[in-house]
Structures are given as structure tokens and as C-alpha cells.
Amino acid sequence: MTGVRVVQQYERGVVFRLGRVRGSARQPGLTLLVPLLDRMRKVNVQVVTMPVPAQEGITKDNVSVSVDAVLYFRVVEPIKATVDVQNYNFAMLQVAQTSLRSVIGKSELDDLLSGREHLHQGLEVMLESPAAGWGVHIDRVEIKDVSLPDSMKRSMARQAEADRERRARIITADGEFQAAAKLAEAAGMMADTPAAMQLRMLQTVVEVAAEKNSTLVLPFPVELLRYFEASTARIAEGADAPSQAPAGAASREVV
């Protein structure tokens, strides 16, 4: 009975006989060992979720950032994970930290903030090479958070505000341009049909009167002022003509 062991479903057993690995890894269930000769080490094959501590670095565009990530991996070859590396959890943590610092130095700030998909793929490729030799499979690795200095946050906020203001001004100018085009088109139509101006004036009077105001503002057409001005000029010319005729006659009489 001292040689009977139980391997759980989420484990694999690596048996050492006199210090050497005995065959392949033992599968879940009951397994028999030779007392005093065999020693079994159980390896967990569940997916391990390992948080990678925040790593400080300088990006490619000279911005100081602090980036942390999370790593998901599992053991696929228990014998390699037991024999070839002393502590595969600690080894994976150290490789993840160094790979993360390397990615920070090769990337720009915009990539860390918005284009993370290819960074995740790059991290996974960098971790796959050593992990394969340790019998570990990388399921996925993701950047969890990016910490920026306060000065950089303020600069990015000002940049975003300026961009929003620029877009608002462009939209306002575009609206004014379209309104001016429509007003010019309407003015051309009214110029071809003078009665349309009178109808528009009467419509404005009706709209103002509907508010039940004590004061009524009546628009006065500029064309009517020009008509009065032209009429006054003609009357003035007609008044000056008779006054000049007697003076000429008197001069002829004197001669």
C-alpha cells in the first residue's frame, strides 16, 4: 500500500527511479510505485494566470511609461517542465518581464495606447521560444495597463481639446458656407421675380405679428430707398433748369 499514489485529473505524475525519469508521465488515476526506489513529482497542467509586475521604460518616441501585463500559460510536457528547468513559474515570470521591457523600448506611445494587438502578438512570439524548451505553452499575453506621467496626461488632454475645437470650427464654417450658398441662390431667384421680395416681407410681418408684441418691426426695402433717391435727384434737376434760362436771356439783352 505504500506504493499506491493517486494522480488528480488536472495533474500529471513524473516518476523518478533512482534519480532517473521512468517512462512517460503518469496519467490521472491510481498509479503504482516501487517502494524506496520510485519517487513521483506531480505537475499541474491547468492554465496559470500570472500577473507581470509593472515595468518602467522609455518608448521609442522618448516618453517614460509604466506598463504591466498578464500572462496565461500551461504545461504541456510535464517531464521537460520538471527536468529542464528548476522552477518554470519563476522562469516564465522573469522572461515575461524582460520581454515586456524590450517591447516598451521598441514601441511608440500611440502603439501602447491604441495599437496593442500586434504588441500582444510580438510578446507571445518572444515568450514562445524559451517556453517551448521548458514544456510550456503560451495561451495568450496581454498588456493590462499603461501609466503615464501627469505632465503627459495634461499635454494629451490639451491636444484632444484642440482637435475637438478644430473639428467644431470646421463644421461651423461648413454650415455657414452651405447657408451662404442657399441664400445666394434664393437672392438670385428673388432678383428674377421682384414680387417674391414683397411676399417675403409680408411673410416676415405675419411671423412677427403672431408673437403678439406691442411693437411691430417692419422691414423697409433698400430698393425703395434707391427709388426715392433717384426721384429726388430728378426733381432737383428739373428745378434747376428753369432758374438758369432767365439768366441766359438777361445776358443776351445786356449784350
Side-chain angles (χ1 to χ4, degrees):
M1 295 299 295
T2 58
V4 178
R5 297 290 187 273
V6 177
V7 179
Q8 301 295 333
Q9 183 67 37
Y10 55 86
E11 295 176 335
R12 298 294 183 268
V14 180
V15 178
F16 294 89
R17 176 170 294 179
L18 298 177
R20 302 185 64 178
V21 177
R22 179 69 178 178
S24 60
R26 300 296 176 89
Q27 299 300 314
L30 289 175
T31 183
L32 298 178
L33 302 178
V34 178
L36 301 179
L37 297 180
D38 293 345
R39 183 176 58 88
M40 185 175 67
R41 181 174 178 182
K42 297 179 181 180
V43 179
N44 195 322
V45 294
Q46 291 176 311
V47 175
V48 179
T49 303
M50 177 179 292
V52 181
Q55 303 297 312
E56 296 183 357
I58 300 177
T59 61
K60 193 175 181 180
D61 48 354
N62 299 324
V63 179
S64 298
V65 295
S66 177
V67 182
D68 58 351
V70 59
L71 175 63
Y72 303 90
F73 67 92
R74 58 188 177 90
V75 177
V76 293
E77 298 183 25
I79 295 178
K80 283 187 176 181
T82 305
V83 177
D84 294 349
V85 60
Q86 183 178 9
N87 188 341
Y88 62 88
N89 286 316
F90 181 75
M92 290 302 304
L93 178 60
Q94 297 301 314
V95 171
Q97 291 180 359
T98 55
S99 300
L100 184 58
R101 286 195 294 267
S102 178
V103 167
I104 293 174
K106 296 178 181 178
S107 305
E108 296 184 355
L109 180 61
D110 293 339
D111 296 333
L112 292 175
L113 296 178
S114 58
R116 297 186 181 180
E117 291 299 328
H118 68 281
L119 295 182
H120 296 165
Q121 296 175 1
L123 274 173
E124 186 173 350
V125 171
M126 295 176 67
L127 293 174
E128 279 288 352
S129 179
W134 301 334
V136 177
H137 173 71
I138 305 297
D139 282 350
R140 61 188 305 175
V141 56
E142 294 182 354
I143 294 175
K144 186 167 59 174
D145 189 22
V146 178
S147 300
L148 300 174
D150 294 337
S151 58
M152 180 57 63
K153 292 181 180 179
R154 290 192 295 268
S155 299
M156 294 177 66
R158 290 195 299 268
Q159 179 183 1
E161 183 179 356
D163 184 68
R164 290 287 182 180
E165 185 177 357
R166 178 184 62 84
R167 292 169 59 184
R169 290 182 178 180
I170 291 175
I171 293 174
T172 302
D174 186 62
E176 292 180 355
F177 175 78
Q178 295 180 8
K182 292 297 182 181
L183 289 175
E185 184 179 354
M189 296 177 63
M190 290 182 180
D192 296 337
T193 308
M197 179 64 72
Q198 300 298 329
L199 293 175
R200 181 58 183 164
M201 183 181 65
L202 294 176
Q203 183 180 2
T204 304
V205 173
V206 172
E207 292 176 357
V208 174
E211 299 294 334
K212 298 180 180 180
N213 296 324
S214 60
T215 303
L216 180 62
V217 179
L218 182 63
F220 199 80
V222 179
E223 290 77 5
L224 190 58
L225 293 177
R226 293 175 180 174
Y227 172 76
F228 289 152
E229 183 180 357
S231 300
T232 303
R234 287 196 298 270
I235 292 173
E237 291 177 358
D240 292 342
S243 61
Q244 293 176 359
S251 62
R252 283 195 299 271
E253 290 177 359
V254 172
V255 172

